[in-house]
């Protein structure tokens, strides 16, 4: 058994949150290895973690090392089935050894959550990084084909244009070859112009610009029945960035802009009832932003594992 690729275990039910008439489920792919945190967020030292004791035990381990995860949010909205980001993917050649040729039961988990691939209507790609696009495609013989054959795949035009105009290193070219270009070649990719106040893509589901980590990154805002939630993408990688909003990600393209985006978002969410759903937050994954001195903390809101009112099952 690889320490980077843990053995499969019987999955727990996909936790769910209700946002008015919308239902959001977290569909797990993998827990990321312990070395991810120090690499991704080098400013999140054990001393920083110790200064925010609310981070333990859920968001950091006993050694004050950050916990991070890869998962998809599956949203049932107005009869539509929507996936937000598709993780790392199986069987793909990746420079990161923890992501190289994964073999997980992600598709089984997705189906158990009520989202079999053939039922998915929309796939939102918050940005075009390797760990957010991998299950866009699956292997079919010698080819990579769309995993969700009847879905429209959505990303911002600003994101596409950035990477189209950038000289890519080979690992990123490989990612585009196996996980992005096949979707475009099958005519399933839509590039969206996302205004500053957001773009509704389905009833109660809107994309909101969150630039900095990448130029065209978006978050996903859910609104229904007076309730709101926000799926982060990578504008916030980990709850430690609430305790210390100045902590930047090692892979932010524009750290100054990413930091400004993060601070503005946290100030807007602080002490409101908007549920924050972290795209890399480990369980319990979701919570409410609360002011904590000069910074913030996350008041955890665990998901339920029973069936919400609409069942979340495929038609």
């Amino acid at each position: 058994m690889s320490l980077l690729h843990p053995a499969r275990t019987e999955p727990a039910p996909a936790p769910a949150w209700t946002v008015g008439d919308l239902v959001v489920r977290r569909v797990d792919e993998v827990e990321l290895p312990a070395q991810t945190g120090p690499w991704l967020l080098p400013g999140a030292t054990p001393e920083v973690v110790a200064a925010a004791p609310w981070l333990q035990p859920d968001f950091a381990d006993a050694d004050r090392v950050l916990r991070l995860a890869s998962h998809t949010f599956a949203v049932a909205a107005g009869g539509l089935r929507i996936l937000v980001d598709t993780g790392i993917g199986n069987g793909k050649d990746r420079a990161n050894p923890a992501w190289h040729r994964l073999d997980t039961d992600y598709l089984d988990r997705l189906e158990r959550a009520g989202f079999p691939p053939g039922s998915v209507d929309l796939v939102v790609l918050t940005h075009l990084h390797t760990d957010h696009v991998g299950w866009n495609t699956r292997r079919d013989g010698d080819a990579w084909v769309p995993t969700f054959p009847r879905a429209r795949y959505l990303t911002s035009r600003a994101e596409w244009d950035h990477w189209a105009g950038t000289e890519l290193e080979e690992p990123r070219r490989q990612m585009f070859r196996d996980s992005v270009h096949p979707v475009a070649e099958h005519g399933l990719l839509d590039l969206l112009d996302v205004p500053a106040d957001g773009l509704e893509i389905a009833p109660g589901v809107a994309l909101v610009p969150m630039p900095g980590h990448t130029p065209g990154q978006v978050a996903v805002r859910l609104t229904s029945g007076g309730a709101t939630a926000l799926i982060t993408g990578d504008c916030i990688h980990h709850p430690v960035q609430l305790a210390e909003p100045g902590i930047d990600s090692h892979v932010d393209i524009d750290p100054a802009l990413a930091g400004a985006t993060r601070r503005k978002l946290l100030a807007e969410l602080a002490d409101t009832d908007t549920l924050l759903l972290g795209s890399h937050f480990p369980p319990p994954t979701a919570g409410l932003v609360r002011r904590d001195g000069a910074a913030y903390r996350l008041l955890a809101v665990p998901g339920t594992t029973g069936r919400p009112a609409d069942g979340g099952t495929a038609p």
Side-chain angles (χ1 to χ4, degrees), residues 49 100 121 155 160 173 256 259 310:
V49 173
H100 182 62
D121 300 289
T155 198
W160 178 269
R173 285 201 298 270
D310 83 341

Side-chain angles (χ1 to χ4, degrees), residues 145-208:
V145 300
T147 303
F148 310 102
R150 56 177 292 272
R152 304 304 304 178
Y153 290 69
L154 314 179
T155 198
S156 78
R157 188 181 306 277
E159 183 73 3
W160 178 269
D161 288 349
H162 166 76
W163 295 113
T166 300
E167 183 66 30
L168 303 180
E169 298 179 351
E170 175 54 27
R172 198 173 300 278
R173 285 201 298 270
Q174 175 63 34
M175 177 272 286
F176 272 88
R177 283 195 298 266
D178 62 39
S179 296
V180 179
H181 290 155
V183 173
E185 290 161 2
H186 279 77
L188 301 180
L189 181 66
D190 293 337
L191 305 181
L192 305 180
D193 295 308
V194 183
D197 59 349
L199 176 70
E200 188 171 67
I201 59 167
V205 183
L207 308 185
V208 183

Side-chain angles (χ1 to χ4, degrees), residues 239-252:
V240 72
Q241 292 173 293
L242 279 67
E244 289 286 349
I247 292 176
D248 296 320
S249 164
H250 170 69
V251 291
D252 286 342

Side-chain angles (χ1 to χ4, degrees), residues 4-5 30 32-33 35-36 88 94-102:
L4 295 179
H5 298 166
V30 291
L32 299 177
Q35 57 265 42
T36 304
I88 299 163
R94 296 294 181 251
N96 184 334
W99 300 354
H100 182 62
R101 299 205 175 187
L102 283 188

Side-chain angles (χ1 to χ4, degrees), residues 22 75 77-78 80 82 122 154 199-207 221 223:
L22 310 182
V75 182
L80 297 176
I82 304 168
L122 299 174
L154 314 179
L199 176 70
E200 188 171 67
I201 59 167
V205 183
L207 308 185
R221 183 175 62 213
T223 308

